């Protein structure tokens, strides 16, 4: 008889949901994480009374009522709506692209005029079947918006020109012929009052958590503690990169406290020109409508991932997809190991989808 039913590797959202549900069903769980904190990449820490999103902005949004009700057990959410703006050499535009964007760009006033302008630019570009991100973007919003608001930003974000990126990356881009500036088409949206760390703390209440434990460095001893393992780390690292390393994009943050109560007037400002080295500036207090006398900002720099860096999002191209398929085959042969989450499944996951996936798996597990 082993000491625990489940060893959960990673105290992020997937691990916390799985642990909460398993513990509720009477299972003995041990959660470990190699970082010095819980909550994974949604970790928030208080600086000057402001909940700072240490690993970049996380805005909870979902159309799944069950998931919304689930997270509301652990936190009360505010009414924050994601309405980022773009700064192109000092010109400010609405994101998502909406009638304000089109009016500022072309002086058009009606949806019909905006559609006609996009159609005209699409025709001039001669794109019928978009073969890459650049062509997909031009066919969605025309050449002007692509040149000013997409090309430079996306190139910085992915570290490669838009002509080398697959078209599907931009298919989720919202384009609106109304004045609605809500980035997400989501029924439920907000930020937990008091930050995400407090929410994950609630999920892990009463469950044993050990931090600064490197699972892969002491795998055999840790595996011996539990009947089953839930692994949410990088799938290629689990297998010692034996088939090669999967590619990720990483993000570097420069965070500073400023002696002003309001630096940029919005939580998120994207810098869409190619010359500005960072992709965006986050002003954290605006996520919770803060009135603190100081403010905290983070500049985000996108970078190619290398071993030792924090992997943020997978590079979902053909080559990496094929390599992940091989790792998935290997993963399926591991008795008593569940691979889950963004890194375990090499998948770009929104928070609600992470929760959905964890709930599905734990339900199957517990029957």
């Amino acid at each position: 008889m082993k000491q625990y039913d489940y060893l959960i590797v990673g105290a992020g959202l997937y691990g916390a949901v799985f642990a909460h549900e398993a513990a509720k069903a009477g299972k003995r769980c041990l959660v470990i994480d190699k970082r010095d904190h819980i909550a994974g990449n949604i970790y928030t820490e208080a600086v000057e009374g402001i909940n700072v999103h240490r690993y970049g902005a996380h805005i909870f949004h979902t159309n799944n009522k069950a998931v919304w009700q689930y997270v509301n057990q652990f936190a009360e959410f505010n009414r924050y709506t994601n309405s980022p703006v773009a700064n192109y050499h000092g010109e400010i535009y609405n994101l998502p692209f909406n009638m304000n964007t089109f009016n500022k760009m072309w002086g058009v006033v009606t949806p019909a005029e905006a559609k006609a302008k996009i159609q005209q630019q699409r025709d001039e570009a001669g794109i019928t079947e978009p073969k890459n991100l650049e062509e997909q973007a031009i066919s969605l919003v025309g050449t002007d918006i692509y040149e000013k608001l997409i090309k430079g930003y996306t190139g910085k974000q992915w570290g490669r020109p838009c002509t080398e990126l697959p078209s599907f990356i931009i298919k989720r881009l919202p384009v609106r012929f109304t004045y609605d500036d809500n980035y997400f088409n989501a029924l439920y949206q907000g930020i937990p009052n008091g930050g995400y760390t407090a929410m994950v703390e609630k999920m892990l209440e009463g469950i044993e958590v050990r931090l600064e434990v490197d699972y892969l460095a002491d795998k055999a001893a840790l595996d011996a503690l539990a009947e089953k393992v839930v692994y949410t780390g990088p799938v290629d690292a689990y297998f010692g990169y034996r088939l090669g390393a999967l590619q990720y994009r990483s993000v570097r943050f420069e965070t500073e406290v400023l002696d002003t109560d309001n630096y940029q007037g919005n939580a998120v400002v994207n810098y869409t020109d190619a010359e500005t080295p960072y992709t965006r500036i986050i002003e954290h207090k605006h996520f919770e409508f803060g009135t603190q006398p100081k403010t905290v900002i983070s500049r985000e720099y996108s970078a190619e991932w290398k071993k030792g860096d924090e992997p943020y999002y997978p590079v979902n191209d053909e080559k990496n997809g094929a390599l992940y398929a091989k790792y998935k085959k290997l993963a399926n042969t591991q008795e008593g190991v569940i691979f889950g989450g963004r890194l375990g499944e090499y998948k770009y996951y929104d928070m609600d989808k992470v929760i959905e996936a964890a709930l599905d798996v734990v339900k199957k597990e517990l029957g």
Side-chain angles (χ1 to χ4, degrees):
M1 179 80 168
K2 297 200 174 177
Q3 206 177 331
Y4 302 96
D5 296 300
Y6 292 100
L7 169 71
I8 294 148
V9 181
L13 202 47
Y14 189 101
V17 169
F18 189 102
H20 179 84
E21 292 304 304
K24 203 166 74 177
K27 301 294 181 188
R28 298 157 303 150
C29 298
L30 170 63
V31 178
I32 62 170
D33 202 294
K34 71 177 194 182
R35 291 174 174 170
D36 62 358
H37 61 76
I38 61 164
N41 278 13
I42 64 171
Y43 175 68
T44 49
E45 60 186 330
V47 178
E48 296 288 341
I50 296 160
N51 289 309
V52 171
H53 297 219
R54 192 197 281 183
Y55 302 95
H58 285 85
I59 295 123
F60 196 90
H61 57 98
T62 188
N63 281 311
N64 184 327
K65 192 175 185 178
V67 166
W68 182 244
Q69 287 170 336
Y70 186 81
V71 290
N72 273 273
Q73 300 172 83
F74 309 106
E76 195 176 273
F77 281 71
N78 69 16
R79 57 170 183 83
Y80 179 81
T81 298
N82 190 28
S83 302
V85 294
N87 181 325
Y88 178 79
H89 294 307
E91 294 171 20
I92 300 291
Y93 293 93
N94 265 127
L95 294 173
F97 308 128
N98 67 7
M99 284 305 297
N100 280 321
T101 320
F102 307 138
N103 174 264
K104 176 131 189 197
M105 191 69 76
W106 300 312
V108 297
V109 174
T110 67
E113 287 170 333
K115 285 177 183 172
K117 193 77 185 167
I118 291 169
Q119 189 60 53
Q120 176 199 333
Q121 295 193 350
R122 188 187 292 156
D123 293 344
E124 283 165 7
I127 297 159
T128 46
E129 280 294 306
K131 288 178 205 52
N132 55 43
L133 192 146
E134 178 172 291
E135 294 183 356
Q136 179 67 44
I138 291 170
S139 69
L140 279 173
V141 287
T143 317
D144 293 340
I145 287 177
Y146 167 70
E147 289 289 340
K148 282 192 175 184
L149 303 184
I150 297 172
K151 187 180 183 176
Y153 183 86
T154 308
K156 287 188 289 192
Q157 200 181 17
W158 290 96
R160 21 181 97 51
C162 292
T163 48
E164 289 175 24
L165 289 165
S167 59
F168 74 78
I169 289 177
I170 212 160
K171 283 193 172 142
R172 44 184 265 158
L173 186 77
V175 180
R176 302 224 174 87
F177 295 94
T178 64
Y179 290 92
D180 178 9
D181 67 352
N182 177 359
Y183 194 84
F184 299 120
N185 284 315
L187 200 51
Y188 310 103
Q189 186 172 172
I191 304 268
N193 291 323
Y196 286 100
T197 306
M199 178 181 98
V200 176
E201 243 162 37
K202 265 277 192 54
M203 288 179 174
L204 293 170
E205 231 166 56
I207 296 164
E208 189 182 344
V209 178
R210 295 183 200 168
L211 299 173
E212 297 182 271
V213 175
D214 187 341
Y215 170 70
L216 295 176
D218 202 10
K219 188 174 174 304
L222 289 162
D223 283 347
L225 297 175
E227 301 290 341
K228 280 191 163 183
V229 173
V230 177
Y231 177 79
T232 70
V235 63
D236 52 353
Y238 181 92
F239 294 104
Y241 303 101
R242 73 172 79 151
L243 307 173
L246 289 160
Q247 281 180 295
Y248 295 90
R249 293 296 291 167
S250 196
V251 186
R252 180 171 65 78
F253 301 94
E254 272 176 13
T255 298
E256 56 179 315
V257 177
L258 301 177
D259 207 0
T260 175
D261 66 339
N262 188 1
Y263 174 73
Q264 63 185 16
N266 205 41
V268 184
V269 177
N270 289 6
Y271 284 78
T272 59
D273 59 276
E275 294 73 29
T276 304
Y278 39 86
T279 51
R280 58 187 187 168
I281 296 180
I282 305 299
E283 187 169 8
H284 301 269
K285 73 190 303 178
H286 297 307
F287 290 127
E288 295 185 63
F289 313 109
T291 55
Q292 297 88 346
K294 293 188 179 182
T295 196
V296 183
I297 63 163
S298 298
R299 292 181 186 84
E300 289 189 18
Y301 297 82
S302 194
E304 199 65 47
W305 176 83
K306 54 191 188 310
K307 278 181 204 171
D309 291 348
E310 204 53 66
Y312 276 81
Y313 39 99
V315 177
N316 290 128
D317 57 15
E318 232 167 282
K319 185 184 82 170
N320 285 290
L323 182 54
Y324 170 64
K326 290 177 185 167
Y327 273 121
K328 182 154 173 50
K329 254 189 185 160
L330 268 183
N332 292 343
T333 67
Q334 300 298 298
E335 278 289 302
V337 184
I338 294 163
F339 291 81
R342 182 178 54 95
L343 302 175
E345 296 174 66
Y346 195 65
K347 189 174 185 175
Y348 182 85
Y349 256 138
D350 282 328
M351 285 181 281
D352 63 325
K353 298 294 181 201
V354 171
I355 291 167
E356 246 172 67
L359 288 173
D360 281 352
V361 168
V362 81
K363 201 168 153 189
K364 280 183 197 132
E365 266 297 297
L366 304 172

